[in-house]
C-alpha cells in the first residue's frame, strides 16, 4: 500500500472513517482504472494542502465485501467522502487529477 494511504477493512472501516474528512478508495487489484488512480491518490495524499487535511483510505472490495455492499457500490473505483462519519460525496470511475482535487477541495471548508 502507498505510504500516505491507510489500508482499511470491513472491520476497521467505521473506526477509520468516523472523524474528520476521509476519502475511501474502493478498488481491486485487477481493476485498470483503479491502478490508474493510484499515482493521483499518492500525489494528492502527499500534499500539505490535501494530505494534511484529508485522511486517505483504501479498501480492496474482493477482500472486504460487506462495506461496499452496504454502500451500494457496483463499479470501481468508487470514492466515498465522509465528514465526521457522514457521507457527503461520491465519485465513480477514473478521475483526472485536476477534477479529483477540485472535488475534494469542495469538502474542506
Amino acid at each position: 500500500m502507498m505510504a500516505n494511504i491507510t489500508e482499511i477493512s470491513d472491520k476497521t472501516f467505521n473506526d477509520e472513517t468516523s472523524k474528520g474528512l476521509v476519502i475511501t478508495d474502493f478498488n481491486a487489484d485487477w481493476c485498470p482504472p483503479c491502478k490508474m488512480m493510484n499515482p493521483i491518490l499518492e500525489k494528492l495524499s502527499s500534499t500539505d494542502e490535501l494530505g494534511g487535511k484529508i485522511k486517505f483510505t483504501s479498501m480492496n472490495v474482493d477482500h472486504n465485501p460487506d462495506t461496499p455492499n452496504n454502500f451500494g457500490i457496483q463499479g470501481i473505483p468508487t470514492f466515498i467522502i465522509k465528514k465526521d462519519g457522514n457521507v457527503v460525496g461520491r465519485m465513480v470511475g477514473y478521475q483526472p487529477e485536476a477534477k479529483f482535487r477540485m472535488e475534494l477541495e469542495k469538502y474542506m471548508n
Side-chain angles (χ1 to χ4, degrees):
M1 183 43 39
M2 296 171 266
N4 301 306
I5 301 173
T6 304
E7 184 74 34
I8 60 175
S9 67
D10 284 335
K11 291 180 182 176
T12 63
F13 178 79
N14 287 333
D15 287 340
E16 293 285 350
T17 65
S18 64
K19 294 182 181 89
L21 190 57
V22 182
I23 183 164
T24 301
D25 168 22
F26 292 89
N27 61 69
D29 295 334
W30 50 264
C31 167
C34 300
K35 292 178 191 264
M36 291 169 56
M37 286 302 301
N38 286 343
I40 294 170
L41 294 168
E42 181 64 24
K43 181 178 179 183
L44 295 179
S45 68
S46 299
T47 64
D48 288 338
E49 70 266 20
L50 291 180
K53 298 182 176 125
I54 300 172
K55 180 178 182 178
F56 285 76
T57 64
S58 176
M59 178 179 286
N60 184 308
V61 299
D62 289 335
H63 303 146
N64 302 283
D66 295 340
T67 303
N69 188 48
N70 291 343
F71 283 93
I73 292 173
Q74 297 179 349
I76 55 172
T78 292
F79 305 92
I80 299 286
I81 303 161
K82 291 177 77 179
K83 192 167 196 171
D84 296 325
N86 298 309
V87 175
V88 294
R90 176 186 288 238
M91 293 180 278
V92 179
Y94 173 82
Q95 306 289 319
E97 181 181 339
K99 182 180 178 198
F100 198 80
R101 177 188 294 268
M102 283 180 16
E103 187 67 23
L104 291 178
E105 287 172 349
K106 289 196 298 189
Y107 302 102
M108 291 175 55
N109 299 327

